Amino acid sequence: MTMDEIMCGESKNVEFKARLPKDSSKYIKTIIAFANTQGGTIVIGVDDTTHEVIGVDKDSAFQIMDDIANAVADSCEPQIVPNIELQTINKQTVIIITVPPEPGRPYYLKSKGKHNGTYIRVAGTSRPAGPEKITELEMEGSRISWDELICIGYEVREEEIEKLCEDIMEYRAKGGLPKREVTKSQLINWKLLKKGEAELLASNAFVLLVSDYFPFSKTQCAVFRGKERTVFLDKKEFTGSIYEQIENAVLFVLRNIRLGATIQGLVRNEAYELPVEAIREMIINAHCHRNLSDASCVQVALFDDRLEVTSPGGLYNGLTYEEVMSGHSKLRNRTIANILNQMGIVEAWGTGIRRIKESAENYGLPIPEIQVFDDMFRVNLFRDQPLLVSEFGVNFPENFPRIVREDLEEDRNRNRKGSEKVRRKFGEEMGNKRKRFGESSEKELYGLSEIQRKLLKMIHQNNRISAKAIGEELSVSSRSIEKNIKLLRERGILIRHGSPKSGYWEIVKNKTKVL
């Protein structure tokens, strides 16, 4: 832990305490929350308001460490073994408690029991886990995925089995994979079906692959005017098997982005403005890694400046943002992922984010943005030349290649005929997730100081910049920068994700118009 990291303040993975609380439950809850999510660090001896390094009494430091170890052992179920060590910062001795993401979930406070004493980390605070989250933690701890469970009461029909087998073979053939006979026996081997005493039983994965039985199993797609979820130009909702939803969602995006063409000699070369591979990977990943315990749907939203794909559920089983960006992957829905792999839809494990980034880079597009929240995962693929839509039609960039305009203009004209009632209803539906993080009044959009505006612009250019670097660039003390960062965080304009050392800042765009 360094002073730069301390000056970044508390976050989802870091908590400060000026001294060890007499009531051990106040920090045990945080230790449990760290163990149940992505791990984290508690620093004893740092003021959580001023970030001043106060330190602990050197003579009693080892006794404090013993007290912490004993409290954790006595209070937590199952057992958690954090790393507790001393460190000197600014000539002061502090105690650092490091908790890794533990595998034996859910962890809970013995005195309250599992249903009332399980805690998770949410936006920098430790909060009680709800029943759905506890269920997912239990499955994580048991190494069971929700899609493997039997769907009680679902009647397996022979025509569903035959269609799924035929579709898998057809996809394999289209993808150039080796020919393979897929039968009912193979579906049993893949854990899609299970032999019961008198009949076949369907797993949740089988149901998701052959029907729209679950109300949350759908993909909501929309095109919005501008850069916000206000007025939409088109809307579709796709149900049915997951692989059909993926294909339909991809086609929806392709119908609503520009198709450019260049002429080289007698050859006409056409290409979409966004890489098709990246679009597919974004939507495939959203379905493969979504939390099926969450009643929300996968959302695909196209704005003037970006394609945004949102998947219900945060990162799975202790996976960190840094691990995702480096190519690590933990399968939340193992059975579904396996079938999509057998079909050639998923080509390789843990490569989705890298392929999206590489596709954008090859197209000369800005680096895609990865956003990780507690209950959703979002990927933004930016459009290099935003399409300008007005009441009078579509304004195409002058330097864009020859455009196949007719289909696009026809779509836009058709979309503008949608009723205002439907627009409003869908806008509210698509905005539910966003509203969880708070909406600002018009008054809150303004009133920023000059330093705050400059600070936000620097973070916009480099979301991993430190307070010290900002202070040096603006010729302002780090303490002043940290004070302004705190004010921006309190107003909900600025959010810190990840650890102080390797995390990043997020500017909440609906909270400010300064950029």
Side-chain angles (χ1 to χ4, degrees), residues 18 50 65 176 273 301 335 377 394 456 503:
T50 66
M65 293 170 68
E273 62 168 300
T335 305
F377 184 89
V394 182
L456 287 172

Side-chain angles (χ1 to χ4, degrees), residues 387-399:
L387 186 64
L388 303 177
V389 183
S390 69
E391 294 297 330
F392 307 101
V394 182
N395 301 321
F396 296 94
E398 291 182 1
N399 60 336

Side-chain angles (χ1 to χ4, degrees), residues 181-350:
E181 188 71 18
V182 179
T183 64
K184 184 188 300 182
S185 297
Q186 186 62 67
L187 299 186
I188 294 173
N189 291 337
W190 283 334
K191 299 182 180 180
L192 288 173
L193 298 172
K194 183 179 179 180
K195 291 181 179 179
E197 293 182 2
E199 58 185 358
L200 284 175
L201 302 176
S203 69
N204 288 329
F206 178 83
V207 177
L208 288 165
L209 289 166
V210 301
S211 73
D212 55 2
Y213 178 80
F214 295 110
F216 60 78
S217 180
K218 55 188 174 183
T219 305
Q220 295 176 326
C221 299
V223 181
F224 289 97
R225 174 181 288 133
K227 301 179 182 180
E228 301 292 337
R229 295 186 181 219
T230 50
V231 178
F232 74 87
L233 302 174
D234 195 5
K235 167 197 172 181
K236 293 289 182 182
E237 187 170 278
F238 299 108
T239 59
S241 68
I242 289 176
Y243 51 90
E244 290 173 341
Q245 289 185 42
I246 291 171
E247 294 299 330
N248 285 328
V250 171
L251 291 174
F252 176 89
V253 175
L254 296 182
R255 285 197 302 269
N256 285 283
I257 60 175
R258 294 165 293 186
L259 178 65
T262 57
I263 307 298
Q264 296 180 349
L266 298 177
V267 180
R268 174 188 176 92
N269 297 312
E270 294 185 344
Y272 287 99
E273 62 168 300
L274 295 175
V276 178
E277 181 183 25
I279 297 169
R280 284 181 59 83
E281 286 293 337
M282 289 167 68
I283 297 172
I284 290 168
N285 278 357
H287 279 281
C288 276
H289 299 293
R290 66 155 296 173
N291 180 4
L292 292 167
S293 300
D294 192 318
S296 303
C297 309
V298 171
Q299 294 183 342
V300 178
L302 189 65
F303 301 87
D304 284 0
D305 66 333
R306 70 192 186 279
L307 170 65
E308 178 184 282
V309 178
T310 304
S311 176
L315 295 177
Y316 177 67
N317 200 11
L319 193 67
T320 65
Y321 172 86
E322 291 74 25
E323 289 173 333
V324 169
M325 298 306 292
S326 63
H328 290 273
S329 178
K330 293 183 180 179
L331 293 176
R332 180 181 253 127
N333 305 302
R334 293 194 293 265
T335 305
I336 289 173
N338 177 48
I339 298 304
L340 296 183
N341 179 253
Q342 295 291 341
M343 299 173 78
I345 295 174
V346 174
E347 297 183 14
W349 305 120

